[in-house]
């Protein structure tokens, strides 16, 4: 499979727990994006990386959220002390710098109970 | 005000009908526009790009009016398989090619 893969597909966690999601982009894509989508809304930008550098973070990304892309390949998104409002679909996408051909992964659906 | 606004619907139409979706945007920094399709509980997938000259792909026609900051999508001869949410999306070239999504318009095509 040469697309963007995300793991896990679903995560149910108790409020206050930490969770970590992983995204493996298309191998030749040097840009990697995280978006969040809540019910009835379109996806909203969270952050993006160019290679291993995190170049922008949305104000939606509170201090409880951290993202890394240590070797410029896969990325992780960690949420600490989860809240019910964090329940959403977390989407990862990748692209080339020169183009805007985004490819989205299937997403990780988080439910905080 | 959201940067990209859409009527959330749902639009319930009979099979074979023609349906039009509209979208307005407020951020002139968005330089390119797209329509994405999203099936229930799936990721969004690119349907088509939108140009000022208009573009057509089979039963789908998209149009951009920069003066009015208005984007449209027309679907002719609707199929049951067209049932999905259609997302209007702007791309800002500056700052990493971020996508700005509308809330999406839900389409249900019925027998």
């Amino acid at each position: 499979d040469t697309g963007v893969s995300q793991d896990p597909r679903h995560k149910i966690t108790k409020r206050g727990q930490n969770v970590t999601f992983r995204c493996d982009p298309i191998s030749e894509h040097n840009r990697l994006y995280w978006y969040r989508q809540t019910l009835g809304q379109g996806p909203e930008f969270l952050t993006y990386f160019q290679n291993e550098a995190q170049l922008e973070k949305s104000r939606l990304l509170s201090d409880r959220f951290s993202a890394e892309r240590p070797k410029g390949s896969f990325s992780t998104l960690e949420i600490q002390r989860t809240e019910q409002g964090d329940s959403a679909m977390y989407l990862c996408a990748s692209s080339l710098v020169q183009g805007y051909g985004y490819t989205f992964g299937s997403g990780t659906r988080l439910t905080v109970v | 005000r959201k940067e990209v606004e859409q009527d959330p619907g749902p639009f319930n139409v009979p099979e074979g009908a023609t349906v039009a979706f509209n979208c307005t945007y407020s951020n002139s920094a968005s330089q390119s526009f797209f329509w994405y399709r999203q099936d229930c509980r799936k990721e969004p997938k690119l349907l088509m790009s939108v140009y000022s000259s208009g573009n057509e792909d089979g039963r789908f026609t998209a149009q951009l009016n920069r003066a009015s900051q208005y984007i449209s999508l027309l679907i002719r001869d609707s199929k049951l398989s067209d049932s999905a949410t259609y997302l209007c999306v702007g791309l800002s070239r500056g700052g990493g090619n971020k996508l700005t999504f509308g809330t999406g318009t839900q389409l249900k095509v019925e027998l």
Side-chain angles (χ1 to χ4, degrees):
Chain A
D1 186 354
T2 57
V4 177
S5 61
Q6 291 188 245
D7 183 69
R9 293 291 302 275
H10 305 276
K11 178 71 176 178
I12 300 174
T13 191
K14 291 183 177 179
R15 190 174 51 189
Q17 296 295 305
N18 299 345
V19 294
T20 300
F21 310 142
R22 176 179 171 125
C23 171
D24 287 87
I26 292 173
S27 58
E28 59 266 30
H29 284 184
N30 39 23
R31 280 197 176 153
L32 185 148
Y33 305 81
W34 285 99
Y35 287 79
R36 180 174 72 184
Q37 185 173 23
T38 54
L39 199 61
Q41 300 297 314
E44 295 175 293
F45 169 79
L46 292 178
T47 188
Y48 89 95
F49 294 82
Q50 184 163 310
N51 301 312
E52 65 276 8
Q54 187 174 19
L55 296 186
E56 187 172 345
K57 294 193 289 186
S58 161
R59 59 181 170 74
L60 293 175
L61 214 65
S62 76
D63 291 345
R64 296 184 298 105
F65 288 70
S66 62
E68 295 182 343
R69 194 183 183 195
K71 297 181 180 179
S73 57
F74 74 91
S75 175
T76 57
L77 177 68
E78 181 183 16
I79 309 174
Q80 296 181 327
R81 304 181 304 282
T82 51
E83 301 172 357
Q84 286 189 320
D86 297 332
S87 296
M89 170 85 92
Y90 290 83
L91 291 158
C92 177
S94 68
S95 75
L96 292 168
V97 173
Q98 293 80 5
Y100 48 77
Y102 267 63
T103 301
F104 280 90
S106 300
T108 294
R109 184 169 296 279
L110 173 66
T111 303
V112 182
V113 297
Chain B
R1 183 184 173 190
K2 285 181 175 282
E3 288 186 24
V4 178
E5 296 209 52
Q6 297 180 251
D7 180 346
F11 284 58
N12 297 330
V13 302
E15 200 173 17
T18 295
V19 61
F21 303 140
N22 303 319
C23 164
T24 56
Y25 66 93
S26 59
N27 182 3
S28 57
S30 289
Q31 298 178 5
S32 302
F33 295 92
F34 309 89
W35 285 100
Y36 273 70
R37 171 189 169 131
Q38 186 171 29
D39 293 295
C40 188
R41 305 179 82 82
K42 301 282 190 180
E43 74 274 22
K45 293 186 177 177
L46 178 65
L47 178 66
M48 59 197 305
S49 301
V50 189
Y51 306 115
S52 299
S53 55
N55 56 311
E56 186 173 315
D57 183 2
R59 297 181 293 107
F60 297 82
T61 301
Q63 184 77 52
L64 165 64
N65 184 323
R66 288 195 184 273
S68 303
Q69 295 185 290
Y70 175 92
I71 299 157
S72 65
L73 176 68
L74 184 76
I75 305 175
R76 290 179 298 279
D77 187 23
S78 300
K79 312 291 185 191
L80 294 174
S81 58
D82 293 335
S83 298
T85 295
Y86 291 83
L87 295 155
C88 180
V89 186
L91 180 143
S92 301
R93 279 292 189 176
N97 290 356
K98 298 191 301 292
L99 297 180
T100 301
F101 288 82
T103 55
T105 298
Q106 188 178 9
L107 171 66
K108 295 181 181 178
V109 181
E110 301 165 332
L111 286 170

